[in-house]
Amino acid sequence: MMFDDDSIVLHSTPKFSIGTIRSRHPASESDVTLAQPNVYAPNDLHTRGFAILKTNIPIPRALLLELDAALANRKGVHVLFNNQAHDGARNDRRRRQASLFPDVIDAPQAQRGFEDRRPECVELQMRLNALLREHAVLWGRCVSDIVVLESRPGCKQQALHTDFDPRGVARLSREMIPLGAIFCLEDEGSRLIVQRLDDIHGNLEEVSVQKGELLVFRGDLKHAGASYNERNRRIHFYLDCEHHERPPNRTFISKDQGPVM
């Protein structure tokens, strides 16, 4: 689906914000509120390990209905690993994902039919691609495996992990480092637990992403999906790089898990 030039507003220069952060040291149960600048240089993506792009991408009700339809299709839904293993439980089955663009659609005729069924998903992908190009995030990278993530009420926090092999990422230059991304859909926002790359003490921080914001993070950033008391949907995708292969359906669990936040 095409859209008019004036229907999407992109920043003319990169603008990143750190979001709202709650910090917890692995050895402490006390929370610390950190004062952070509203805007900082794109290079901080590689010092902190993550950044938030503020966007004006609309989230119409029709898009949410299409995403709910994808989640309702049992054949296309996969349950994700969930729940830190402190209590012995490995998966509470309350975190799921559904592909927006199934790999089985190869023929142009089938692709057109699929676009007719999910026009809002197609337009969202176009807007995200345009945003990433505007901020030079797509240089040397390509968007892949775009899915809708859903946490059901009572969903527990994930184990701390990376999406890419950190040993392989460590050998890459900044321009070649693969990334992950989360686009927030909900009025209540979405959250991600991270261990900043520049924190020598290994603090865990809860990063809040507001509706319409895009969280971009390095492939070697240790992170965990947050717990949710209410249903939460968000878009997740990878920014793969040809210089580092991402094993499909695999994550790399951190040995040092820290506390549940």
Side-chain angles (χ1 to χ4, degrees):
M1 174 179 287
M2 298 299 294
F3 50 89
D4 298 332
D5 290 341
D6 59 356
S7 65
I8 179 170
V9 180
L10 298 174
H11 296 298
S12 59
T13 57
K15 293 185 179 180
F16 293 79
S17 72
I18 201 66
T20 303
I21 295 178
R22 185 161 60 89
S23 175
R24 177 174 291 175
H25 191 278
S28 172
E29 291 297 316
S30 61
D31 290 343
V32 179
T33 301
L34 301 180
Q36 299 290 346
N38 292 327
V39 178
Y40 63 93
N43 285 339
D44 282 347
L45 171 65
H46 298 291
T47 56
R48 302 173 190 264
F50 66 96
I52 295 177
L53 291 132
K54 292 187 176 296
T55 83
N56 290 314
I57 296 177
I59 304 172
R61 184 172 182 272
L63 171 62
L64 298 178
L65 291 175
E66 288 183 10
L67 299 178
D68 284 343
L71 289 166
N73 182 1
R74 293 185 179 181
K75 293 183 179 180
V77 173
H78 300 280
V79 177
L80 302 183
F81 86 92
N82 208 39
N83 188 17
Q84 284 192 329
H86 299 308
D87 58 2
R90 193 60 185 152
N91 200 322
D92 61 16
R93 304 188 68 82
R94 295 181 183 272
R95 189 182 304 267
R96 310 186 307 154
Q97 74 175 34
S99 175
L100 301 192
F101 306 102
D103 295 335
V104 296
I105 300 179
D106 295 322
Q109 296 84 357
Q111 182 67 43
R112 284 197 295 271
F114 179 78
E115 291 175 355
D116 290 340
R117 292 195 301 274
R118 291 187 188 166
E120 296 294 338
C121 289
V122 173
E123 183 163 345
L124 174 64
Q125 184 184 37
M126 292 174 64
R127 290 177 182 272
L128 288 171
N129 282 341
L131 176 76
L132 293 166
R133 289 192 191 97
E134 180 77 9
H135 292 268
V137 180
L138 273 183
W139 289 352
R141 304 181 181 96
C142 63
V143 174
S144 63
D145 291 356
I146 182 168
V147 301
V148 54
L149 289 180
E150 178 195 42
S151 289
R152 293 178 166 181
C155 173
K156 295 183 180 180
Q157 179 179 320
Q158 279 186 315
L160 200 65
H161 65 280
T162 63
D163 292 335
F164 296 80
D165 186 346
R167 296 168 298 180
V169 173
R171 295 193 292 265
L172 301 175
S173 64
R174 288 185 175 186
E175 295 76 16
M176 298 179 180
I177 290 177
L179 308 171
I182 294 175
F183 180 67
C184 180
L185 300 167
E186 305 284 8
D187 292 334
E188 300 78 14
S190 296
R191 296 172 289 112
L192 189 71
I193 311 301
V194 304
Q195 188 177 84
R196 275 175 42 172
L197 297 181
D198 61 351
D199 191 333
I200 62 174
H201 301 294
N203 291 332
L204 295 185
E205 300 178 353
E206 185 180 83
V207 180
S208 295
V209 190
Q210 303 305 310
K211 184 177 181 178
E213 293 181 339
L214 180 68
L215 171 67
V216 181
F217 55 95
R218 284 175 46 131
D220 57 349
L221 178 72
K222 293 180 181 179
H223 66 281
S227 61
Y228 289 94
N229 293 324
E230 305 293 337
R231 186 188 187 212
N232 189 276
R233 294 160 297 179
R234 58 266 184 209
I235 299 296
H236 179 278
F237 57 89
Y238 297 105
L239 290 155
D240 284 325
C241 176
E242 65 178 352
H243 301 284
H244 183 79
E245 183 177 357
R246 173 175 51 85
N249 302 317
R250 181 182 176 186
T251 57
F252 299 84
I253 305 297
S254 172
K255 294 181 179 179
D256 179 19
Q257 286 296 312
V260 177
M261 299 186 70

